């Protein structure tokens, strides 16, 4: 997308607060389903152009994620341009919160790369339109427990589609990334009787996994992981991991993981299909996080209610895979179509209210 092409977006706001040094961009892609919801990324972009390109792309993605998760939220996202380790201060976060407030609820923010629950606590001192706060401040806290639960549900749906049964017993699952989501996913897999192979670049994450789950086979890196006879590949670290090179060595029949933006290029979805790999769209699989964040914003957070909604990822994934099969298209194309249909149908009703 060209940086000058924000024509699909409802609103793009450039925020500048010289006193705190805040430079941020808030992008509202769509409010057709409700207030645009999406996190704030705090990242040292090389240029404002790069920050703008990222926020336009991410906010559009959130419209699809929120729509397919069945939420009454449109898609939005924000980026703060800076180094979180150096530039993040209470003053900056509060200045940012005032910009969010100035949009009057059209945009609701939460955590993303480089922002944490304690940051949202600061933002919340300036605006009500924030979620992902700490439990001490009345928020739901870390969303990775439900994100991992949702990944597990999507995996069961994919197993049913591919092998005719949700059962993961005897299947080997490769988990790349043992951070917040990966570490919560592993107990679900072990409990389901799966064999787990895993890797991480961080020795502390490896050590923690070895201590807590000695039955997990740890390998050096993701290259070794994907070629180690796994049935399911669960990318739970960085984006862009599905590319031409990984396609050559990927053993798995199913890819289903939490990482955002797993496809290096959109065309990789077609390549995976051709190679007989069932790819579960990342934004569907990892929507447990935003389901939690929406639950916190829409009312007093109720873990059980959010968990029940996250359980719905099983049915959503099954529906997407069935539709893709029926229409001879990729699961990504099927998921996008379902999201667009909901935005068109329900968005029209919303405006009538
Ligand atoms: P995290 O930062 O807690 O964990 C990521 C882990 O991946 C770290 O342990 C890191 O050392 C490891 N890692 C980094 N590069 C790696 C590589 N090349 N190979 C193997 N491991 C590597 O992040 P978190 O929260 O677990 O998120 C994981 C992914 O899921 C991210 O892409 C995130 O955007 C996505 N996601 C997370 C949600 C959440 O609720 N935490 C919600 C939706 C998406």
């Amino acid at each position: 997308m060209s940086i000058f092409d924000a024509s699909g977006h409802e609103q793009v706001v450039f925020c500048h607060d010289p006193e705190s040094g805040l430079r941020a961009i808030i992008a509202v892609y769509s409010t057709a389903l409700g207030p645009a919801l999406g996190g704030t990324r705090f990242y040292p972009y090389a240029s404002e152009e790069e920050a703008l390109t990222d926020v336009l792309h991410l906010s559009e993605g959130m419209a699809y994620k929120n729509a397919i998760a069945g939420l009454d939220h449109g898609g939005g996202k924000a980026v703060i341009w800076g180094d979180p380790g150096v530039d993040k201060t209470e003053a900056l976060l509060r200045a940012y919160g005032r910009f969010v407030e100035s949009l009057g609820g059209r945009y609701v923010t939460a955590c993303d790369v480089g922002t944490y629950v304690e940051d949202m606590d600061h933002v919340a001192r300036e605006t009500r339109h924030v979620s992902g706060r700490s439990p001490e401040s009345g928020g739901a806290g870390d969303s990775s427990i439900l994100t991992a639960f949702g990944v597990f549900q999507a995996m069961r749906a994919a197993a049913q589609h591919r092998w005719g049964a949700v059962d993961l017993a005897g299947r080997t699952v490769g988990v790349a990334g043992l951070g917040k989501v990966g570490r919560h996913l592993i107990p679900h897999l072990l409990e389901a009787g799966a064999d787990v192979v895993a890797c991480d670049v961080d020795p502390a994450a490896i050590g923690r996994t070895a201590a807590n789950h000695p039955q997990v086979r740890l390998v050096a890196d993701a290259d070794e992981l994907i070629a180690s006879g796994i049935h399911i590949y669960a990318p739970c670290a960085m984006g862009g991991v599905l590319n031409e090179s990984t396609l050559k060595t990927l053993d798995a029949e199913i890819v289903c993981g939490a990482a955002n933006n797993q496809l290096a290029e959109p065309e990789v979805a077609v390549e995976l299909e051709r190679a007989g790999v069932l790819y579960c769209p990342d934004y569907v699989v990892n929507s447990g996080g935003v389901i939690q964040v929406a639950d916190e914003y829409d009312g007093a957070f109720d873990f059980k209610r959010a968990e029940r909604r996250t359980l719905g990822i099983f049915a959503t994934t099954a529906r997407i895979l069935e539709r893709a099969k029926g229409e001879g298209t990729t699961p990504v194309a099927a998921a996008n179509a379902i999201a667009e249909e909901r935005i068109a149908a329900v968005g029209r009703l919303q405006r009538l209210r």
Side-chain angles (χ1 to χ4, degrees):
M1 181 189 292
S2 146
I3 63 154
F4 301 108
D5 182 14
S7 53
H9 288 68
E10 281 181 23
Q11 191 173 13
V12 181
V13 181
F14 289 75
C15 316
H16 189 205
D17 179 59
E19 274 162 31
S20 65
L22 172 76
R23 281 179 303 180
I25 309 172
I26 300 172
V28 172
Y29 180 76
S30 164
T31 56
L33 293 181
L37 171 65
T40 301
R41 183 163 293 192
F42 203 135
Y43 192 77
Y45 294 101
S47 64
E48 190 174 58
E49 200 175 312
E50 194 181 292
L52 178 58
T53 304
D54 204 27
V55 77
L56 293 179
H57 184 66
L58 291 166
S59 54
E60 181 175 356
M62 285 309 299
Y64 283 77
K65 182 186 282 204
N66 294 341
I68 206 134
L71 301 175
D72 288 336
H73 282 285
K77 200 91 177 183
V79 294
I80 297 178
W81 179 18
D83 180 343
V86 177
D87 301 320
K88 197 191 284 176
T89 59
E90 179 186 341
L92 181 143
L93 291 166
R94 294 184 71 155
Y96 172 64
R98 289 193 292 278
F99 277 109
V100 172
E101 180 65 19
S102 74
L103 294 177
R106 287 177 52 75
Y107 169 64
V108 180
T109 198
C111 302
D112 191 61
V113 174
T115 54
Y116 303 90
V117 288
E118 54 272 24
D119 300 329
M120 291 309 124
D121 289 349
H122 286 308
V123 173
R125 292 162 79 178
E126 303 288 349
T127 181
R128 284 175 297 121
H129 306 299
V130 56
S131 188
R133 291 162 299 137
S134 68
E136 296 76 28
S137 301
D142 181 17
S143 59
S144 53
I145 293 174
L146 284 185
T147 302
F149 181 62
V151 174
F152 179 60
Q153 295 308 326
M155 225 177 248
R156 294 172 71 245
Q160 184 173 49
H161 185 86
R162 173 47 57 95
W163 301 309
V166 296
D167 198 8
L168 297 180
R171 303 286 176 193
T172 304
V173 183
V175 181
L178 297 165
K180 294 189 290 295
V181 179
R183 93 176 64 155
H184 290 302
L185 176 61
I186 283 179
H188 290 300
L189 299 174
L190 294 174
E191 212 171 290
D195 296 319
V196 181
V197 191
C199 69
D200 198 293
V201 290
D202 178 7
I206 289 287
R208 188 179 54 228
T209 307
N212 294 340
H213 307 291
Q215 62 275 58
V216 171
R217 182 156 62 93
L218 294 160
V219 295
D221 55 30
D223 290 340
E224 187 181 339
L225 182 94
I226 63 170
S228 62
I230 54 175
H231 297 107
I232 303 176
Y233 174 35
C236 293
M238 313 308 283
V241 291
L242 300 171
N243 51 45
E244 280 197 10
S245 146
T246 50
L247 268 172
K248 288 188 189 124
T249 46
L250 183 66
D251 259 351
E253 291 176 52
I254 293 170
V255 176
C256 181
N260 274 312
N261 305 324
Q262 290 169 32
L263 302 171
E265 305 287 340
E267 300 73 43
V268 176
V270 179
E271 299 294 324
L272 284 163
E273 189 72 14
R274 278 201 197 116
V277 179
L278 192 62
Y279 170 67
C280 302
D282 47 16
Y283 74 84
V284 179
V285 173
N286 68 22
S287 57
V290 79
I291 289 171
Q292 166 164 327
V293 160
D295 194 273
E296 176 186 329
Y297 180 71
D298 295 340
F301 179 63
D302 178 339
F303 182 84
K304 282 287 161 204
R305 180 178 58 207
E307 189 182 46
R308 277 196 304 278
R309 287 182 178 162
T310 305
L311 198 59
I313 292 175
F314 179 94
T316 305
T317 306
R319 180 176 165 213
I320 289 164
L321 298 178
E322 275 309 309
R323 176 152 169 178
K325 190 177 169 189
E327 294 181 353
T329 182
T330 65
V332 173
N336 290 350
I338 292 170
E340 283 164 8
E341 284 161 13
R342 178 161 184 259
I343 292 169
V346 183
R348 183 175 47 81
L349 301 179
Q350 287 267 99
R351 275 196 293 273
L352 290 176
R353 281 208 307 218

